[in-house]
Amino acid sequence: EVQLLESGGGLVQPGGSLRLSCAASGFTFSTYAMSWVRQAPGKGLEWVSSISGSGGTTYYADSVKGRFTISRDNSKNTLYLQMNSLRAEDTAVYYCAKGQTGSGWLVKWFDPWGQGTLVTVSS
Amino acid sequence: QSVLTQPPSVSGAPGQRVTISCTGSSSNIGAGYDVHWHQQLPGTAPKLLIYGNSNRPSGVPDRFSGSKSGTSASLAITGLQAEDEADYYCQSYDSGLSGVVFGGGTKLTVL
C-alpha cells in the first residue's frame, strides 16, 4: 500500500523558514514524480511545486518561486520542501502527492495524497 | 481567481444526477491537456476520482464519470448518495503558466 506521511509543519513568524518532509513507502520512490499542493484555511487547492523522479527537474508556482525549494532524497524515500521568507499568505495545509512516471509527468494526475501538515505564518 | 472555473456549489436529492463543470482556456484544457478530478470529503485529504478525462481508478464506483470537450470538462455523478457530499476539484496543466492548475472547487450538497 502506498503511504505518504508529511511532517515539519508548525507556527513560524513572517520572514522565517521551515522545512517540510514527506516520507514515502509502498512504491519505487525514485521512479515517480512528486509534488506539493497547499490549501489555505477554507480555500481551494493550490499547486506549489513538482519534482521529477531523479530530482533533476523542478517546477514552481509563481507565488513561491525564489522562496521555496523542492528536493528529494531517493536513498531515504523522502520528499522535502524548504520554505524561506514565509508570508502570512503561505498559511495552509501542505499536502505531498505522488505523481506519475515517464515523459509528460507534469501534466498527469496526483495519486495518492498524504494527510497534510499545517503551516501557520503569524507573529 | 482560479485558472479553471468551477461552480462554487451544486446540489441534488439522493438518487438524482448532478454535473460539475470545469471551464478552462486555450492554454490548458483547450490545448489538449488532460483533466483529472479529485474528491475531498470533509476534514480529509483529497482523493483521485477521475484521471485522464474519463478514467476511474480502481475502487471508484461507476456512478462517477468524466468527459471533456473543447475548453471544458465535466464530472457527472449519478444515483447521488449522502456520502458523496464533498468538495470536488478539477486539475489540469497550463502551458502559459508552465505548471499545474486547479479549479476553485465545487461543494456538492446532497439534499
Side-chain angles (χ1 to χ4, degrees), chain B residues 14-85:
Chain B
Q16 286 190 333
R17 177 181 187 268
V18 297
T19 61
I20 298 173
S21 61
C22 175
T23 302
S25 66
S26 59
S27 61
N28 41 69
I29 299 175
Y33 295 110
D34 285 345
V35 177
H36 321 296
W37 292 89
H38 302 274
Q39 176 193 57
Q40 187 174 33
L41 297 170
T44 69
K47 169 195 161 188
L48 179 69
L49 196 64
I50 296 287
Y51 67 94
N53 305 316
S54 59
N55 301 291
R56 282 187 310 276
S58 170
V60 173
D62 59 7
R63 301 186 296 104
F64 295 90
S65 63
S67 63
K68 174 190 157 184
S69 178
T71 58
S72 295
S74 288
L75 173 71
I77 310 172
T78 59
L80 264 182
Q81 300 181 2
E83 55 262 38
D84 298 334
E85 197 160 274

Side-chain angles (χ1 to χ4, degrees), chain A residues 64-116:
Chain A
V64 306
K65 203 171 293 183
R67 300 187 299 122
F68 289 11
T69 302
I70 191 171
S71 63
R72 62 193 298 160
D73 185 336
N74 287 343
S75 69
K76 295 182 178 179
N77 288 353
T78 303
L79 174 72
Y80 302 101
L81 185 67
Q82 177 66 45
M83 304 185 295
N84 298 330
S85 302
L86 283 161
R87 308 165 179 166
E89 54 264 37
D90 296 318
T91 294
V93 173
Y94 285 73
Y95 296 101
C96 74
K98 173 178 166 284
Q100 304 305 316
T101 62
S103 61
W105 53 266
L106 189 60
V107 309
K108 298 181 181 178
W109 55 96
F110 301 140
D111 180 46
W113 300 62
Q115 88 291 345

Side-chain angles (χ1 to χ4, degrees), chain B residues 95-109:
Chain B
S95 58
L97 297 173
S98 296
V100 176
V101 289
F102 285 97
T106 298
K107 181 176 182 59
L108 168 63
T109 301

